[in-house]
Amino acid sequence: MTKGLYTPGEFRDNCGFGLIAHCEGEPSHHLLMTAIGALTCMTHRGGIAADGKTGDGCGLLFQMPKRFMRVEGAKVAGRELADLFAVGMVFLSTDERTQASARKAIEQVLSERNLSCVGWRDVPVDPTNLGPIAKGNMPAFCQFFVEPTTQDQAKFDNELFMASRLIERVLSGDQDNYLCSLSRRVVSYKGLMMPVDLPNFYPDLNHPDMETAICVFHQRFSTNTLPRWPLAQPFRLLAHNGEINTIAGNRNWSKARGHLFKSDRLPEIDQILPLVNTTGSDSSSLDNMLEVMVAGGMDLFRAVRMLVPPAWQNVDDMDADLRAFYEYNSMHMEPWDGPAGIVLTDGRFACCLLDRNGLRPARWVKTTNGYLTVASEVGTWDYKPEE
């Protein structure tokens, strides 16, 4: 039945995505649990397998909960962690020999980048919350704690980025192995569970010291790839709802121009070519490209608007300086174009943007408790109208 311009059969659900950030940067466990609740409210936007419990992938990316990680890190390091430290979250093979080999390879990469792996932690999980399909190919979940040989934060970040790309390479021989995050600023918890079961599967998330002022969340509904643990979002910077229709060209241009990328921050960038993966999802490739640009020293906001610009060409009343900004950046990279709603964080900033046509819209609400909520739908958590 058609009513006016609305034809019900033309409208379909797609990924649920969003972020919650405290505008004054005050971390809390309440914000993390609120984000999980908001994600759970968008369960209908994700794919669910026939077993009724295996999801298409969901997860969280949030600021490093330093108090929690320092306690856990001290347990495996046998001492207090240094002032500067990072945490790697990794999926590994459940085969003991294969996993031991992967751990050794990770430690070798870190050592070659002048980084020290001071300990490994087996992340506690409760598989009873998984469906049979997710449980049947469930990896092992590990965290490793990393310290630098220098107290230079920028240099530490550069080495972590290079190490993450090189670790990807040494882990690529086994599809169960996947580096979710390696950062001093953020950490990722994700998988093939249903959103409501995230804190049940990962008991860490219930700990009161798991505090954050920014949380990006995502519930996946894939139209072009089958569910796999590594494909759950968010990735290392962003969560994406939509499709990059120009992905083949974007990947090819990245491969063709990779040798032209130069940055004082990444003098050995040739070691990690190609810069963008061609086997993962389009969202993961977009995350790859954004990560390279930020690691190379580009401002986060400029980088993301270079990749996904608005429709600026025919806006007659646009500010002249803003038009010049988009025109200049258009000379450096073709748009990663398609229906896209994107939320992201580098641990310092919370960002959101839409594609040039607004084909994956989002709603935002600011509440009296200082929370800014951006999500695929309005009303994803129980704030009151007067708030």
Side-chain angles (χ1 to χ4, degrees):
M1 181 177 69
T2 300
K3 293 182 178 181
L5 298 177
Y6 175 74
T7 304
E10 292 180 354
F11 292 82
R12 299 175 175 83
D13 282 335
N14 42 66
C15 300
F17 79 121
L19 69 81
I20 299 180
H22 191 280
C23 294
E24 301 300 322
E26 296 178 9
S28 68
H29 185 240
H30 178 266
L31 188 145
L32 179 66
M33 299 309 291
T34 302
I36 294 172
L39 179 59
T40 301
C41 283
M42 292 188 290
T43 299
H44 61 282
R45 284 182 169 267
I48 304 174
D51 61 20
K53 289 285 285 182
T54 298
D56 204 1
C58 71
L60 312 168
L61 179 71
F62 52 94
Q63 286 178 323
M64 185 67 66
K66 290 186 177 179
R67 184 158 52 181
F68 176 86
M69 290 301 181
R70 282 194 174 280
V71 171
E72 296 303 319
K75 292 178 183 177
V76 296
R79 59 170 174 79
E80 294 296 317
L81 296 179
D83 291 340
L84 269 184
F85 74 94
V87 178
M89 182 74 161
V90 64
F91 298 158
L92 294 177
S93 171
T94 54
D95 178 78
E96 290 186 7
R97 182 175 296 181
T98 304
Q99 184 181 140
S101 176
R103 289 192 184 208
K104 184 177 180 180
I106 290 172
E107 291 175 358
Q108 179 66 28
V109 169
L110 293 172
S111 176
E112 292 172 355
R113 302 307 309 181
N114 296 313
L115 301 171
S116 175
C117 179
V118 298
W120 285 84
R121 174 180 184 245
D122 293 324
V123 179
V125 295
D126 182 0
T128 61
N129 298 287
L130 298 179
I133 298 173
K135 193 181 298 184
N137 59 13
M138 184 183 76
F141 305 87
C142 303
Q143 287 171 346
F144 55 94
F145 294 80
V146 181
E147 293 177 349
T149 56
T150 173
Q151 293 304 298
D152 185 325
Q153 289 188 357
K155 185 172 178 58
F156 188 29
D157 289 338
N158 297 344
E159 294 298 344
L160 288 171
F161 168 74
M162 289 294 295
S164 69
R165 290 301 179 93
L166 294 170
I167 287 171
E168 277 188 327
R169 295 190 175 204
V170 300
L171 295 184
S172 62
D174 189 316
Q175 67 174 2
D176 290 334
N177 294 332
Y178 176 73
L179 183 67
C180 302
S181 60
L182 174 56
S183 174
R184 67 179 177 89
R185 290 181 178 271
V186 294
V187 67
S188 172
Y189 281 76
K190 62 183 183 178
L192 294 185
M193 69 292 294
M194 304 303 295
V196 71
D197 287 322
L198 260 171
N200 301 323
F201 183 78
Y202 289 115
D204 282 0
L205 297 176
N206 297 300
H207 198 287
D209 285 344
M210 286 293 254
E211 296 179 323
T212 181
I214 304 171
C215 185
V216 168
F217 49 89
H218 189 274
Q219 163 74 349
R220 187 169 180 263
F221 185 82
S222 174
T223 56
N224 53 15
T225 53
L226 294 173
R228 286 180 53 223
W229 284 86
L231 292 180
Q233 294 192 43
F235 293 109
R236 290 171 197 153
L237 282 172
L238 62 81
H240 168 227
N241 171 26
E243 300 82 39
I244 304 300
N245 294 335
T246 58
I247 189 63
N250 297 136
R251 285 170 169 169
N252 287 336
W253 276 120
S254 171
K255 186 174 181 179
R257 296 169 175 165
H259 68 285
L260 298 176
F261 278 69
K262 305 294 179 186
S263 170
D264 292 339
R265 294 193 183 191
L266 304 173
E268 300 167 296
I269 195 170
D270 289 346
Q271 294 183 12
I272 58 171
L273 297 176
L275 300 175
V276 168
N277 81 76
T278 58
T279 57
S281 66
D282 51 358
S283 305
S284 67
S285 295
L286 177 62
D287 186 78
N288 284 168
M289 193 71 254
L290 179 60
E291 190 181 30
V292 169
M293 295 166 77
V294 172
M298 185 174 289
D299 176 87
L300 176 68
F301 306 105
R302 178 187 173 191
V304 76
R305 267 318 194 189
M306 182 184 289
L307 291 167
V308 186
W312 59 271
Q313 290 91 338
N314 298 316
V315 181
D316 295 333
D317 58 353
M318 178 176 285
D319 177 84
D321 288 340
L322 186 59
R323 176 181 296 278
F325 169 85
Y326 288 124
E327 185 174 9
Y328 176 79
N329 284 296
S330 71
M331 305 295 180
H332 297 279
M333 182 170 293
E334 299 78 10
W336 292 56
D337 213 1
I342 299 171
V343 287
L344 62 122
T345 184
D346 61 354
R348 168 62 181 88
F349 297 104
C351 309
C352 54
L353 70 155
L354 303 180
D355 64 275
R356 66 179 66 207
N357 295 312
L359 294 176
R360 289 293 184 268
R363 299 290 188 100
W364 67 270
V365 173
K366 186 176 180 182
T367 44
T368 53
N369 64 351
Y371 287 6
L372 177 67
T373 302
V374 180
S376 301
E377 301 175 4
V378 73
T380 54
W381 60 276
D382 60 351
Y383 52 81
K384 304 297 187 292
E386 59 269 23
E387 298 171 333

